[in-house]
Amino acid sequence: MTATNMAASMELRCWGADWGLPSVHTESLIVLAYAKFSGADLTVAPIDWTWRTLTATVPELICQESRVTEPAQILNFLRKLRFNADYELSARQGADTMAYIALLEEKLRPALLHTFWVDTENYASLTRPWFASRSPFPLNFLVPCRHANTALSRILLTKSESPLHTITDVEGKIYSEAKECLNLLSHRLGAAYYFFGNTPCSLDAFVFGFIAPLHKASLPSSPLQNHLRQLENLQRFCDHILSAHFSSHPGSPQPVQEMVDANLQKLTQLVNKESNLIEKMDDNLRSSPQHKPLRSDPRPNSSDHRNSTPA
């Protein structure tokens, strides 16, 4: 069977779209972005509203008899099918890609987990309600709690070294490292649209997956999001990928010009409608019978004046 035939039946199971993103889930965003960059045609199957919200490992790529999870493994699988967004990279750029992805995992992921799943205000106001609303009863009570516990355990497992043993102890460290990571990414990207050349590659997919939720989510409490807002090139990087590769997605915002054109069209239609209504009313007034106004004429009647007798 050819790669083309196999590609036609590829299905990606992932968390669904919101916040102007094709998915709110970092790992799902990585795969979705890479598929766009490499030209892989995937059928997206959100696990929202299903019992798989508790049991599924997402993202999960299903192709014929193959089931692949984890972004790195899925990207390797796509490369074997000749969907390779990295084919123009040099050996040095390939090595840099691996180094930056490792940096994201070590320095940025713990802070993102804390921001969305451990921070009390963010969890109560945004994360928990979103995942609960996408899970059927009674999983809506279990899914957010399970993700939060997993996030907390992962942070403590990777960052709680002596003398830092509690989540409160490690907060300062993980946010300091995350801000440093964002600064390095911003410096490396510079004024370019992508990290290597004029076309996106796997590093762009990973960076997009990590920072796009932080960029787009309405977080009530996030020092990391505030720091990202100072790095305009990283924000532009996310917005460019969304507009260039996901502009037709229902979860993504319309380009500014399209929104202006749509609003202008609506305004024109409204003006035309009002003009037609006014013209119709004017025609009705013109065709209606004209009667003498029911009011007294202040001018004296000439015949009465002639017939009047002087005192």
Side-chain angles (χ1 to χ4, degrees):
M1 181 174 292
T2 65
T4 303
N5 291 334
M6 291 184 67
S9 61
M10 289 191 295
E11 178 183 272
L12 183 71
R13 295 179 179 175
C14 61
W15 283 103
D18 206 353
W19 312 340
L21 299 172
S23 174
V24 304
H25 185 236
T26 287
E27 285 77 8
S28 300
L29 280 176
I30 293 170
V31 177
L32 288 169
Y34 185 86
K36 291 287 187 179
F37 299 163
S38 62
D41 186 15
L42 304 180
T43 299
V44 179
I47 64 168
D48 306 9
W49 309 105
T50 71
W51 283 80
R52 294 184 61 83
T53 57
L54 183 68
T55 61
T57 301
V58 292
E60 181 183 37
L61 182 68
I62 302 172
C63 182
Q64 304 297 324
E65 301 300 323
S66 301
R67 292 175 178 266
V68 191
T69 59
E70 302 296 332
Q73 299 301 321
I74 295 175
L75 267 56
N76 286 335
F77 183 84
L78 292 176
R79 291 188 188 103
K80 293 178 181 178
L81 299 180
R82 299 183 180 179
F83 297 111
N84 188 359
D86 295 343
Y87 71 97
E88 291 185 351
L89 297 185
S90 65
R92 173 63 182 273
Q93 290 172 333
D96 288 346
T97 296
M98 296 177 63
Y100 276 105
I101 292 175
L103 182 71
L104 290 168
E105 292 288 351
E106 180 183 356
K107 304 295 186 182
L108 189 54
R109 184 180 292 279
L112 291 178
L113 291 175
H114 188 279
T115 296
F116 284 94
W117 292 103
V118 180
D119 183 284
T120 304
E121 191 173 358
N122 293 337
Y123 178 72
S125 301
L126 178 70
T127 314
R128 186 185 183 283
W130 193 94
F131 281 85
S133 68
R134 265 70 176 182
S135 305
F137 177 84
L139 298 186
N140 55 327
F141 295 102
L142 302 176
V143 170
C145 183
R146 180 176 181 179
H147 280 285
N149 290 336
T150 301
L152 179 60
S153 298
R154 182 166 181 173
I155 294 172
L156 293 176
L157 181 64
T158 57
K159 295 297 180 181
S160 60
E161 55 191 31
S162 182
L164 308 176
H165 297 290
T166 68
I167 190 63
T168 305
D169 295 334
V170 302
E171 281 183 24
K173 178 181 179 181
I174 62 177
Y175 279 110
S176 176
E177 292 180 348
K179 291 176 182 178
E180 180 183 356
C181 178
L182 290 176
N183 291 341
L184 289 172
L185 291 172
S186 176
H187 178 74
R188 177 64 184 80
L189 179 64
Y193 281 115
Y194 304 115
F195 282 89
F196 300 117
N198 297 321
T199 56
C201 62
S202 59
L203 177 58
D204 297 285
F206 271 87
V207 174
F208 175 73
F210 272 79
I211 69 175
L214 185 66
H215 172 47
K216 301 295 287 186
S218 298
L219 296 167
S221 169
S222 180
L224 191 60
Q225 186 180 68
N226 293 336
H227 186 76
L228 177 61
R229 287 172 177 166
Q230 301 175 28
L231 305 174
E232 295 183 359
N233 62 339
L234 290 182
Q235 296 179 78
R236 186 193 69 236
F237 167 82
C238 291
D239 293 335
H240 174 70
I241 288 179
L242 287 171
S243 63
H245 301 281
F246 294 100
S247 59
S248 61
H249 194 281
S252 62
Q254 289 180 285
V256 174
Q257 187 59 46
E258 289 185 12
M259 293 181 67
V260 172
D261 292 342
N263 291 335
L264 181 59
Q265 183 179 7
K266 291 180 181 178
L267 180 61
T268 302
Q269 292 173 351
L270 180 62
V271 170
N272 291 338
K273 184 178 180 180
E274 295 294 334
S275 298
N276 292 336
L277 180 61
I278 293 173
E279 183 177 353
K280 184 177 180 180
M281 292 175 62
D282 187 55
D283 289 340
N284 290 336
L285 288 173
R286 290 176 184 274
S287 61
S288 63
Q290 301 299 309
H291 300 284
K292 185 178 180 179
L294 299 175
R295 60 180 176 82
S296 59
D297 193 342
R299 294 175 301 176
N301 189 295
S302 57
S303 60
D304 292 344
H305 178 72
R306 289 193 299 269
N307 295 331
S308 62
T309 303

